[in-house]
Amino acid sequence: MKEQLSQIKESAISLVNNAQSMDELQQIRVKYLGKKGELTAVLRGMKDLSNEERPLVGKIANEVREAIGSQLEDAISNVKEKEKNKKLEKETIDVTMPGSEVLRGHRHPLTTVLDEIKEVFIGMGFSIGEGPEVETVYNNFDALNAPKNHPSRGMADTFYINDDIILRTQTSPVQVRTMKSSEPPIKVISPGRCFRRDTPDATHSPMFHQIEGLVVGKGVTMADLKGTLDMFAKKLFGEETKTKFRPHNFPFTEPSAEVDLTCFKCGGEGCKVCKGSGWIEILGCGMVHPNVLEECGIDSEVYSGFAFGMGLDRITMLKYNVDDIRLFFENDMRFIEQF
């Protein structure tokens, strides 16, 4: 048994000295010192020794265990140090090497045009209003005088979360919230994202952007509306731009109109962009319906107002001659960097 212990010690220390990794050392520990290891197996045979031999063999076994354990600890420290040095060599940074080029972002065309529009209206005394994209049916339809059977309220056109909550189909609810929380005079534009159940194609997207405006005060007339939009058109598209108002029908305005601009590509002579007409439809507008004012707690006998709404995506498409709205949402830098 003494010879067995001596052989175990020599064999274990030899393997430890030749080990190159932590895994190898762990395997050696288990092989010799584990519960089912070779040293443990020898110690189990001590029950067959005489009373005189047992203490002597036990002492030798403990010395062998300590020797193997000590050698393992030294080897583990050496292997850890080698692995650390190897990792440091691998991760060494040459500070003299040129750095990697950092790609800078680029302003999105929608952001550029939105900022231009904001600047125009802020220059005319408007403030910026914001509201939630998840809205109530009341704010989105009822408070805006939309009848219960209006097509836009159908499941085919609007994203309903439940019977009372929807994804807003327009930024008009911001106007409702503004009128309910503010006293006239009011001059506000409300840009933001809107959602409708449209199948994506070159001119439609289920997510799009709108900019709506509202003015409420004493003595506000259609002439104020026309003057405001005419000024906006000239500032955004050029001083030679002319506007044309065509009668229309919106439930939240009365009277209502759609506004056309002289084509900024051909100056009104007729081209591919305006389909030969010389005019481009740009937005809808009208005088705020008395029902809307009263619903928002504003006395329609004392105050009047006008409202308008335009699609940011459409204006940007027209301004930059983009023929597919989907390009705005694909985040392809080859497209965005052109503007």
Side-chain angles (χ1 to χ4, degrees), residues 54-122:
R54 195 174 295 135
L56 181 60
V57 172
K59 180 181 178 183
I60 296 173
N62 287 333
E63 291 174 352
V64 170
R65 181 186 294 278
E66 289 178 5
I68 296 173
S70 177
Q71 198 72 17
L72 275 168
E73 293 303 320
D74 291 343
I76 288 172
S77 297
N78 290 334
V79 169
K80 283 183 177 179
E81 186 67 21
K82 288 179 181 178
E83 290 181 349
K84 183 179 77 171
N85 291 336
K86 188 182 294 184
K87 185 177 181 182
L88 289 173
E89 288 178 10
K90 193 174 182 181
E91 295 179 352
T92 298
I93 299 174
D94 184 354
V95 295
T96 64
M97 290 181 65
S100 301
E101 181 185 1
V102 178
L103 297 178
R104 297 184 63 185
H106 194 282
R107 286 174 66 83
H108 196 282
L110 291 176
T111 302
T112 299
V113 175
L114 175 58
D115 287 345
E116 291 179 13
I117 294 173
K118 283 181 178 179
E119 185 176 348
V120 171
F121 282 108
I122 289 174

Side-chain angles (χ1 to χ4, degrees), residues 62-260:
N62 287 333
E63 291 174 352
V64 170
R65 181 186 294 278
E66 289 178 5
I68 296 173
S70 177
Q71 198 72 17
L72 275 168
E73 293 303 320
D74 291 343
I76 288 172
S77 297
N78 290 334
V79 169
K80 283 183 177 179
E81 186 67 21
K82 288 179 181 178
E83 290 181 349
K84 183 179 77 171
N85 291 336
K86 188 182 294 184
K87 185 177 181 182
L88 289 173
E89 288 178 10
K90 193 174 182 181
E91 295 179 352
T92 298
I93 299 174
D94 184 354
V95 295
T96 64
M97 290 181 65
S100 301
E101 181 185 1
V102 178
L103 297 178
R104 297 184 63 185
H106 194 282
R107 286 174 66 83
H108 196 282
L110 291 176
T111 302
T112 299
V113 175
L114 175 58
D115 287 345
E116 291 179 13
I117 294 173
K118 283 181 178 179
E119 185 176 348
V120 171
F121 282 108
I122 289 174
M124 289 191 281
F126 284 76
S127 60
I128 308 296
E130 295 182 340
E133 294 174 356
V134 179
E135 260 294 1
T136 62
V137 171
Y138 171 80
N139 283 341
N140 198 85
F141 293 120
D142 296 331
L144 293 167
N145 201 42
K148 297 292 184 182
N149 61 350
H150 196 278
S152 64
R153 300 177 69 135
M155 296 288 288
D157 289 326
T158 300
F159 290 103
Y160 278 84
I161 296 173
N162 58 39
D163 290 342
D164 299 315
I165 304 296
I166 62 171
L167 297 183
R168 68 181 182 188
T169 63
Q170 54 203 357
T171 59
S172 301
V174 178
Q175 300 178 9
V176 172
R177 291 174 177 271
T178 301
M179 285 188 284
K180 284 181 173 291
S181 62
S182 306
E183 293 289 334
I186 296 170
K187 291 182 73 173
V188 63
I189 59 169
S190 51
R193 291 187 297 183
C194 305
F195 308 87
R196 293 180 187 171
R197 296 178 66 95
D198 283 330
T199 302
D201 59 27
T203 57
H204 297 84
S205 171
M207 190 276 289
F208 57 98
H209 299 82
Q210 269 195 350
I211 303 172
E212 299 198 13
L214 172 72
V215 172
V216 178
K218 293 181 179 180
V220 177
T221 67
M222 193 78 173
D224 297 309
L225 169 61
K226 296 185 72 172
T228 298
L229 295 181
D230 191 67
M231 176 66 73
F232 158 71
K234 285 178 166 54
K235 290 291 185 182
L236 192 67
F237 295 106
E239 291 297 326
E240 301 302 319
T241 305
K242 296 179 181 179
T243 55
K244 178 175 67 174
F245 285 66
R246 291 181 288 107
H248 198 68
N249 176 52
F250 299 114
F252 35 82
T253 53
E254 179 61 36
S256 304
E258 286 191 337
V259 180
D260 299 336

